[in-house]
Amino acid sequence: MTQWVFTFGDGKAEGQSSMRDLLGGKGANLAEMSNMGLPVPPGFTITTEACIWYYANGRSYPAELKAQVETGLAQIGTLTGKVFGDAANPLLVSVRSGARASMPGMMDTILNLGLNDVTVAALGQGSGDERFAYDSYRRFIQMYSNVVLDVDHHNFEDILEIYKERKGLTLDTDLSAADWKHLVGEYKRRVEEETGSPFPQDPREQLWGAMGAVFSSWMNQRAITYRRLHAIPESWGTAVNVQAMVFGNMGETSATGVAFTRNPSTGAKELYGEFLINAQGEDVVAGIRTPQNITEIARINAGSDKPSMETALPEVYQQFIAVAATLEKHYRDMQDLEFTVERGKLWMLQTRNGKRTAKASLRIAVELANEGLLTREEAVSRVEPSSLDQLLHPTIDPKAERRVLATGLPASPGAAQGEIVFNSDEAEAMKAGGHKVILVRVETSPEDIHGMHAAEGILTTRGGMTSHAAVVARGMGKPCVSGAGTLRVDYQAQTMSIAGKVLRKGDVITIDGSTGQVLLGEVPMLQPELSGEFSTLMGWADGFRRLKVRTNAETPADARAAVEFGAEGIGLCRTEHMFFDEERIVAMREMILANDEDGRRAALAKLLPMQRSDFVELFEIMAGLPVTIRLLDPPLHEFLPHTDAEIAEVAAAMGADPKKLKARAEELHEVNPMLGFRGCRLAVAYPEIAEMQARAIFEAAVIAGRKSGKPVVPEVMVPLVSIKAELDLVKARIVAMAEAVMKETGASLDYIVGTMIELPRAALQAGKIAESAEFFSFGTNDLTQTTYGISRDDAASFLNPYINKGIISIDPFVSLDQEGVGELVQIAADRGRKTRPDIKLGICGEHGGDPPSIHFCERVGLDYVSCSPFRVPIARLAAAQAALGKAAAGQA
Ligand code: PEP
Ligand code: MG
């Protein structure tokens, strides 16, 4: 016979904490606390399997359940000396949901179940407090009717308000037993009016109604949405906990409260919580009365004149702190506790691992390890890598009010605020004038780099997570919200509008690049602080990881920031980004628009010294660490001049006719630029471009090597290869240039040549390509784009319906599609290694900073991940967790 019901109480339980899947989080921990001998009101848990059965069988119950529930009720009765439904000595229970993972979308608690017109009188007599009994009854009617019978709260609130007004009463506490008695009658009448049936008087009918409501709430819209957002499978089901009531509202020696064993915002080792004397659970969260502090020190710090639990209920307080310490030690983590004191006796209602900020998470993990409660491996595994974002960027004060104008993609984390400005020159000018600005564009292009630099943050109405704005902002560590498609930008009118609301240049907005929200006005922010615990934990993490962590950087500022964050090299230097500068873009355009090789060589000659000095600086900053430099990969549309003024500027620099130049620019216009004249296709058509870049790289290596005395080993990377012959052609020019530079300088050079694997054909042909490539770097941005056939710049508008309909769980440009794109990565890694066993393998798409994708890279056995500077700490921690997870899986 299946056991659907597990009892607990009086120092023992049929379950335990390891049975979370079957009993839910709450049920498993109630059982565990009972087994530990802690004071838990007796009760039972109906398993998640019963919920699964319920849905598999047309919302009905297994045959044995009824008898098992009766046995459970009888056992609670024996332990409490009461009888469920008894007219003279009634047992009252609470009914609560409890899934494996905590799920806010689920049914709320129902308290005082078992009360009816008869048992309420017995409760009054038993407690010696009739007012308390009728107050409990009216609370129960309201809660039960709302949750189980779907009668809206306002029905009861209206009745209460009208009654208080008629009687000239202000506070609920002013109402007498007779008042509540009268109101109970009115409440019941309203329920009958609303539902067509009288309020159920049979406690068993109440209990089954409540259990059904818990199971049904598993499939309510809120729960479904929450599960989708948190990847919780529907198949888990929820458990139901039925527990003897204990009352915190039985006078001045009764109380109810919640507490954390450590401070959940700072992580400090101090009991942190609130309680209310003479109150029931919902009063603490309802915010009607101001809760009191638990410890005396917290009361003093808060400047509260209400006594702390430490002074008001000293004996119970001592017992409570002992229980809190026991639980923290037992679970080896900070606990979130719920308790009730009934006439001087402490009862524990819940314990679970407490939610906390990133800062608290770090401090708690490090301190628990130092206290010997955790190993360092466990401490490293306890901190959520992506939460480190909160520590590296300013964030919006969680207490602040958010007036949300629109929501786009969380393209680059952190919050920023400033005056709206619609073009980059103005952004720069306003910054120079001492203003803080947010650059608002439909999309950004290379010409916006200076504006992006000047701005506090960037907001675009188009573009995805790997759009120009997103990639560049992440590299700069600037907050960015991209693809906020409901906003309309009118450059002409210098306005931004949404649903009839018009914002003008100079109006202040705040963007939250961690959530994608665009907020009206200035919102209070918290500045980042890196604590000592941060470096301690990162140091431990470094000791456990196998994957190296590099950065995607091309500017000295980015490279320096990345080294500070612990980057072990540059995995991707996008050389085309080095030409976004206003002076350089003209030479770059000259090169692109040149009619013939001579013209191109003339423009290239202007670019060479700039490239060389950039590389020297990068090599110096990286001081002997590996640096991968990628040859030009400019999507042409990003570099072509658009306006007549831009064409005139380039024409003047080239000494060319603007009309002819315009015609040439039009000729180069592409329908699908991202699938166009990009990457090595440029070097195949115009090898002199690759030659210039190779010369700049090798000359810089010689200069930097001589200056520092440390040999520089450049890694030259050819982008967008799909055919081995493409790579061979470009590689031959690189090798020839290395020879030439060695000859000219008399220096010897060590270097390697490799390729990006970012097209499906390249992944499939990796075995052949590895004959020429000494390393592969997976360009998973393009690989995702081309494997799915989804434009990385336009995806935002149509991916959302896919996510909402559950077709995909997450944007594949954010987290690697391990099944599909991942299979190509695996194939390429296998085939590449087969040809060249020591081939170096890395990833430099945006996924290189995404923790689940990093776990995938560990499984495939890549050598390194490369990500934007601000994600380096996240990658270090995720790589350590991936290595530890793999080790644990290996042991199991
Ligand atoms: C990629 O495609 O993943 C990549 C790193 O290159 P880019 O984003 O510059 O195309
Ligand atoms: Mg690419």
Side-chain angles (χ1 to χ4, degrees):
M1 192 181 67
T2 313
Q3 184 175 359
W4 306 102
V5 169
F6 285 71
T7 58
F8 56 82
D10 199 29
K12 49 187 181 299
E14 292 176 314
Q16 57 188 7
S17 68
S18 60
M19 291 162 72
R20 170 181 279 269
D21 292 359
L22 186 64
L23 303 180
K26 200 174 289 159
N29 287 338
L30 283 168
E32 189 77 2
M33 285 199 288
S34 285
N35 285 328
M36 290 166 73
L38 298 178
V40 175
F44 58 84
T45 303
I46 301 168
T47 63
T48 54
E49 280 176 2
C51 179
I52 297 162
W53 200 99
Y54 174 82
Y55 281 108
N57 293 277
R59 301 200 179 213
S60 64
Y61 299 104
E64 308 98 338
L65 184 62
K66 200 161 183 190
Q68 293 185 16
V69 166
E70 284 303 324
T71 311
L73 285 170
Q75 180 165 334
I76 307 177
T78 311
L79 292 175
T80 55
K82 294 175 183 172
V83 180
F84 191 62
D86 190 65
N89 186 24
L91 166 68
L92 304 184
V93 294
S94 67
V95 178
R96 304 159 113 193
S97 62
R100 260 194 238 184
S102 120
M103 275 188 43
M106 299 284 301
M107 189 198 86
D108 302 327
T109 306
I110 294 181
L111 301 176
N112 308 329
L113 188 139
L115 277 177
N116 57 26
D117 296 349
V118 178
T119 55
V120 67
L123 179 67
Q125 262 169 18
S127 63
D129 187 345
E130 198 186 14
R131 184 190 179 279
F132 153 75
Y134 280 93
D135 180 19
S136 300
Y137 191 20
R138 66 95 194 180
R139 287 174 192 250
F140 169 57
I141 295 172
Q142 177 165 349
M143 236 186 265
Y144 188 90
S145 303
N146 179 253
V147 173
V148 183
L149 308 176
D150 210 18
V151 181
D152 202 279
H153 277 296
H154 77 77
N155 283 288
F156 307 103
E157 283 153 7
D158 290 351
I159 293 172
L160 179 58
E161 280 317 302
I162 292 168
Y163 183 80
K164 284 203 293 197
E165 215 173 283
R166 187 153 55 83
K167 294 278 240 168
L169 304 168
T170 356
L171 297 174
D172 286 6
T173 42
D174 298 337
L175 274 73
S176 67
D179 292 325
W180 289 127
K181 210 173 192 169
H182 172 82
L183 283 166
V184 160
E186 288 205 30
Y187 278 19
K188 284 196 300 178
R189 249 191 313 282
R190 180 62 66 91
V191 173
E192 190 159 355
E193 275 163 29
E194 289 292 313
T195 65
S197 317
F199 184 77
Q201 289 291 309
D202 176 2
R204 283 184 168 71
E205 185 189 338
Q206 295 171 358
L207 181 62
W208 286 92
M211 280 162 31
V214 173
F215 284 165
S216 303
S217 72
W218 181 249
M219 291 305 270
N220 73 25
Q221 200 48 51
R222 273 188 310 164
I224 292 171
T225 308
Y226 187 87
R227 278 202 294 277
R228 202 186 55 234
L229 291 175
H230 294 84
I232 296 173
E234 192 179 296
S235 60
W236 282 4
T238 180
V240 183
N241 296 292
V242 178
Q243 208 175 2
M245 278 300 299
V246 285
F247 295 95
N249 53 344
M250 278 194 155
E252 295 305 303
T253 55
S254 299
T256 187
V258 291
F260 291 91
T261 56
R262 301 189 186 218
N263 186 317
S265 27
T266 65
K269 192 176 179 179
E270 61 198 14
L271 194 77
Y272 180 93
E274 297 172 330
F275 84 115
L276 271 177
I277 290 204
N278 197 9
Q280 220 170 25
E282 79 259 25
D283 299 330
V284 181
V285 275
I288 302 161
R289 284 165 60 191
T290 311
Q292 295 155 247
N293 297 103
I294 291 187
T295 61
E296 190 52 14
I297 181 85
R299 185 197 67 76
I300 294 166
N301 288 340
S304 165
D305 56 2
K306 296 208 170 139
S308 65
M309 182 165 155
E310 192 172 350
T311 53
L313 301 167
E315 274 170 34
V316 184
Y317 169 78
Q318 288 306 333
Q319 197 192 345
F320 178 65
I321 55 168
V323 168
T326 305
L327 283 169
E328 182 177 282
K329 203 160 174 191
H330 182 77
Y331 284 98
R332 304 189 312 135
D333 200 358
M334 184 260 263
Q335 295 297 294
D336 172 355
L337 310 168
E338 282 177 29
F339 65 94
T340 284
V341 180
E342 181 182 294
R343 292 190 167 151
K345 167 135 181 66
L346 174 71
W347 293 101
M348 297 305 298
L349 302 185
Q350 171 148 311
T351 190
R352 58 182 165 188
N353 294 341
K355 295 218 182 323
R356 62 205 78 181
T357 62
K359 190 172 163 187
S361 170
L362 272 173
R363 178 161 174 188
I364 291 170
V366 169
E367 290 188 355
L368 286 177
N370 289 341
E371 288 164 26
L373 277 181
L374 296 181
T375 63
R376 289 182 175 181
E377 285 88 341
E378 287 169 325
V380 162
S381 303
R382 285 278 175 93
V383 178
E384 172 59 39
S386 45
S387 74
L388 297 180
D389 255 355
Q390 283 180 31
L391 301 174
L392 306 174
H393 297 279
T395 45
I396 291 181
D397 185 339
K399 292 190 219 104
E401 190 202 342
R402 289 172 178 244
R403 285 182 289 164
V404 181
L405 284 172
T407 304
L409 296 171
S412 179
Q417 52 199 215
E419 296 173 41
I420 298 175
V421 50
F422 295 99
N423 84 54
S424 289
D425 291 344
E426 245 179 296
E428 210 172 29
M430 285 179 69
K431 159 109 177 172
H435 295 257
K436 288 191 164 174
V437 297
I438 302 285
L439 179 64
V440 179
R441 302 282 302 165
V442 175
E443 276 179 301
T444 60
S445 77
E447 287 148 86
D448 289 315
I449 282 295
H450 62 299
M452 294 175 77
H453 257 299
E456 304 300 310
I458 297 106
L459 167 62
T460 70
T461 57
R462 286 198 52 199
M465 294 294 286
T466 56
S467 62
H468 177 266
V471 170
V472 174
R474 275 198 292 275
M476 290 178 179
K478 293 224 180 208
C480 172
V481 171
S482 66
T486 53
L487 290 173
R488 287 277 155 269
V489 167
D490 183 339
Y491 289 134
Q492 212 66 35
Q494 295 275 290
T495 58
M496 170 176 105
S497 54
I498 172 134
K501 185 165 188 65
V502 179
L503 291 152
R504 289 168 209 293
K505 186 183 130 191
D507 287 347
V508 174
I509 57 168
T510 299
I511 59 168
D512 184 346
S514 308
T515 62
Q517 285 179 343
V518 182
L519 309 165
L520 188 63
E522 218 168 287
V523 182
M525 303 222 281
L526 303 177
Q527 289 310 311
E529 284 169 50
L530 288 187
S531 61
E533 285 89 18
F534 176 82
S535 45
T536 305
L537 193 97
M538 293 310 287
W540 294 347
D542 289 344
F544 301 134
R545 71 185 155 87
R546 182 195 62 81
L547 277 166
K548 294 269 182 203
V549 176
R550 299 195 191 181
T551 192
N552 295 353
E554 42 278 334
T555 68
D558 285 355
R560 277 196 200 95
V563 170
E564 292 244 316
F565 287 138
E568 296 162 303
I570 289 181
L572 174 63
C573 166
R574 291 177 163 105
T575 51
E576 63 282 0
H577 285 200
M578 302 169 111
F579 297 105
F580 286 162
D581 197 89
E582 228 172 320
E583 275 170 43
R584 298 179 177 195
I585 200 160
V586 177
M588 181 75 173
R589 285 179 173 151
E590 263 182 78
M591 194 267 296
I592 291 173
L593 293 170
N595 271 327
D596 51 23
E597 188 175 330
D598 283 348
R600 258 187 310 279
R601 283 196 185 274
L604 286 167
K606 292 187 199 168
L607 294 172
L608 173 67
M610 303 174 191
Q611 279 270 268
R612 189 173 48 220
S613 68
D614 285 345
F615 294 147
V616 169
E617 202 171 351
L618 277 189
F619 290 146
E620 282 178 351
I621 294 166
M622 299 315 289
L625 294 172
V627 177
T628 306
I629 294 174
R630 182 176 78 183
L631 300 186
L632 274 182
D633 179 13
L636 277 191
H637 67 300
E638 289 191 6
F639 285 90
L640 290 175
H642 301 290
T643 61
D644 287 344
E646 284 168 0
I647 290 173
E649 191 181 12
V650 182
M654 292 168 78
D657 174 3
K659 273 207 197 100
K660 278 194 187 151
L661 203 68
K662 191 168 179 181
R664 172 87 178 126
E666 274 160 15
E667 231 172 79
L668 287 173
H669 173 81
E670 292 177 320
V671 176
N672 281 322
M674 292 304 272
L675 299 177
F677 201 9
R678 281 180 65 193
C680 67
R681 295 163 199 168
L682 206 66
V684 169
Y686 309 131
E688 56 277 11
I689 302 177
E691 278 176 7
M692 178 284 282
Q693 289 203 291
R695 176 174 281 284
I697 294 167
F698 294 128
E699 288 182 354
V702 171
I703 297 168
R706 281 185 180 151
K707 265 197 195 164
S708 66
K710 285 188 196 151
V712 175
V713 184
E715 302 176 353
V716 185
M717 181 152 78
V718 184
L720 224 72
V721 162
S722 57
I723 310 165
K724 174 178 175 282
E726 285 174 307
L727 176 62
D728 287 340
L729 192 148
V730 183
K731 185 176 174 182
R733 300 287 179 139
I734 297 167
V735 171
M737 188 53 74
E739 302 292 329
V741 172
M742 282 195 268
K743 210 163 169 189
E744 288 162 24
T745 59
S748 74
L749 270 171
D750 223 351
Y751 66 95
I752 54 175
V753 179
T755 182
M756 306 266 302
I757 299 288
E758 52 184 342
L759 294 173
R761 191 180 196 285
L764 297 173
Q765 287 289 297
K768 267 194 204 156
I769 293 173
E771 288 166 16
S772 305
E774 288 160 282
F775 67 89
F776 286 166
S777 181
F778 289 97
T780 43
N781 301 334
D782 275 310
L783 194 57
T784 301
Q785 169 166 263
T786 48
T787 301
Y788 272 100
I790 290 180
S791 155
R792 48 197 270 200
D793 290 317
D794 301 313
S797 54
F798 52 83
L799 276 185
N800 272 345
Y802 276 66
I803 295 171
N804 292 339
K805 294 192 171 148
I807 297 173
I808 55 170
S809 58
I810 187 164
D811 182 341
F813 291 105
V814 173
S815 198
L816 189 75
D817 158 41
Q818 299 184 16
E819 266 186 350
V821 180
E823 188 174 0
L824 282 171
V825 172
Q826 181 75 63
I827 289 171
D830 291 345
R831 294 183 185 173
R833 283 196 200 107
K834 200 161 172 212
T835 304
R836 189 188 286 270
D838 63 345
I839 190 164
K840 207 192 270 191
L841 300 175
I843 181 173
C844 63
E846 291 302 304
H847 307 94
D850 168 63
S853 311
I854 293 170
H855 280 252
F856 170 82
C857 295
E858 174 68 31
R859 285 201 300 278
V860 179
L862 300 191
D863 298 296
Y864 66 88
V865 297
S866 188
C867 56
S868 55
F870 280 80
R871 284 201 184 169
V872 166
I874 295 171
R876 285 162 67 195
L877 185 55
Q881 292 182 353
L884 289 169
K886 211 163 111 181
Q891 279 159 18

